[in-house]
Amino acid sequence: SPCPSNPPFLTLQIMQRLYPYFKKMPVLTPKHDLRKVVRIAVETKREKDFFWSLEFHPAYYAELVYNGFLPIATQLPFPPPYPDLKAQILRIIPSLKNYVEKRGRLIVLLPKLHKKRCLAVDWKQLHVSKNARKRAKKFEISFDSAIEKVIAGCMKQHGEEWLFGPVRATFRWIHSHPIKRKVTKVGKEEETSCSSSSSRRDKEGRNATATTAIRLHSVELWEGDEVVAGELGCSLGSIYISL
């Protein structure tokens, strides 16, 4: 998996001119400090939830999830009226080339700060009725055992929606290669970077580092040998985010 790209600023400006959809929507790239972006969005009480990006690299997707974004996607007509721009975009982000050439559509990542419909659940307080338990006896549940069936089922049930080719490729990569993140706590502050699994504290016991991982999961509900329901989601430590 190659390193995340950094589209030239001029390319991003041209994109905003070609597609009015992006004129009032902030762009994100791997160069942005996502923690700072989130803090500013919260402090300024930004009304709009969406940002946009042309980057689908698994490490960048995981970084977005780590910082509280729900990265979905959309598609737009392509190529634009400027052939040079098409060539430049495809050179910058080769992962989109095959999809753009086959479909004639540009896939754009839409990182979303899902503030209004955000729900935190304490599983210990989750109540399952007796009727639901009785009906559930004929089903079995599994995790991470049939991601392709779940992806196919989601697309069959809801259409492609935002599960476009580049998104599915990113999901598959993170599912088989969880993205490790090193968390360093310095007082009340927290810094993150890639690292191997470890934890340590300095001689004075002030700074502690530990490793967590962003994982992509599939949840399968089986009736016999058939997957009758399922969902995709991300986890960060003990936190689970339904996609």
Side-chain angles (χ1 to χ4, degrees):
S1 180
C3 294
S5 59
N6 286 295
F9 183 68
L10 179 59
T11 301
L12 300 176
Q13 280 190 318
I14 294 174
M15 285 284 293
Q16 286 179 316
R17 291 188 179 185
L18 289 175
Y19 299 103
Y21 182 74
F22 295 128
K23 282 189 176 180
K24 295 183 179 180
M25 191 183 299
V27 63
L28 293 178
T29 74
K31 287 187 176 181
H32 283 93
D33 183 338
L34 295 179
R35 291 182 64 199
K36 184 177 180 180
V37 170
V38 172
R39 186 175 69 248
I40 292 173
V42 172
E43 290 177 353
T44 59
K45 297 181 180 180
R46 185 172 179 270
E47 294 183 2
K48 302 294 184 180
D49 291 338
F50 286 108
F51 297 74
W52 70 277
S53 177
L54 292 176
E55 181 58 69
F56 285 87
H57 188 278
Y60 182 62
Y61 193 98
E63 185 72 11
L64 288 166
V65 171
Y66 185 91
N67 283 277
F69 290 91
L70 179 65
I72 58 177
T74 190
Q75 61 178 353
L76 299 169
F78 201 81
Y82 302 100
D84 291 343
L85 178 61
K86 175 185 176 182
Q88 187 177 22
I89 291 175
L90 297 183
R91 185 174 65 252
I92 294 167
I93 312 172
S95 62
L96 294 179
K97 183 175 181 179
N98 291 336
Y99 197 86
V100 167
E101 290 179 346
K102 290 180 181 178
R103 298 291 191 91
R105 310 285 285 181
L106 176 65
I107 307 305
V108 179
L109 194 66
L110 295 179
K112 185 176 185 181
L113 285 176
H114 221 332
K115 297 176 292 183
K116 294 183 179 179
R117 288 181 285 176
C118 182
L119 176 65
V121 176
D122 183 348
W123 296 110
K124 295 179 181 179
Q125 298 179 5
L126 183 65
H127 174 70
V128 181
S129 68
K130 291 183 178 180
N131 186 43
R133 291 177 185 273
K134 183 178 180 180
R135 294 174 60 190
K137 288 183 178 179
K138 66 176 181 178
F139 300 109
E140 292 186 5
I141 193 168
S142 65
F143 301 90
D144 300 326
S145 63
I147 186 172
E148 294 301 332
K149 289 180 180 287
V150 174
I151 290 176
C154 288
M155 294 177 65
K156 181 179 179 181
Q157 181 74 17
H158 304 291
E160 196 170 28
E161 289 291 333
W162 58 272
L163 279 174
F164 302 110
V167 178
R168 299 196 298 271
T170 297
F171 281 8
R172 292 183 180 109
W173 177 269
I174 300 177
H175 183 259
S176 57
H177 304 83
I179 308 295
K180 292 183 179 180
R181 300 292 291 137
K182 184 174 72 175
V183 181
T184 303
K185 292 184 178 180
V186 184
K188 295 183 179 180
E189 295 297 320
E190 185 180 88
E191 299 176 355
T192 62
S193 62
C194 295
S195 172
S196 59
S197 180
S198 63
S199 63
R200 66 179 182 272
R201 190 175 294 273
D202 67 9
K203 293 181 180 179
E204 298 180 4
R206 291 176 299 183
N207 302 346
T209 63
T211 297
T212 186
I214 294 88
R215 305 175 188 273
L216 195 289
H217 300 284
S218 62
V219 182
E220 304 90 19
L221 188 69
W222 300 81
E223 185 175 6
D225 295 330
E226 182 182 1
V227 175
V228 294
E231 81 150 11
L232 300 167
C234 286
S235 70
L236 170 60
S238 60
I239 299 172
Y240 178 78
I241 305 116
S242 173
L243 299 174

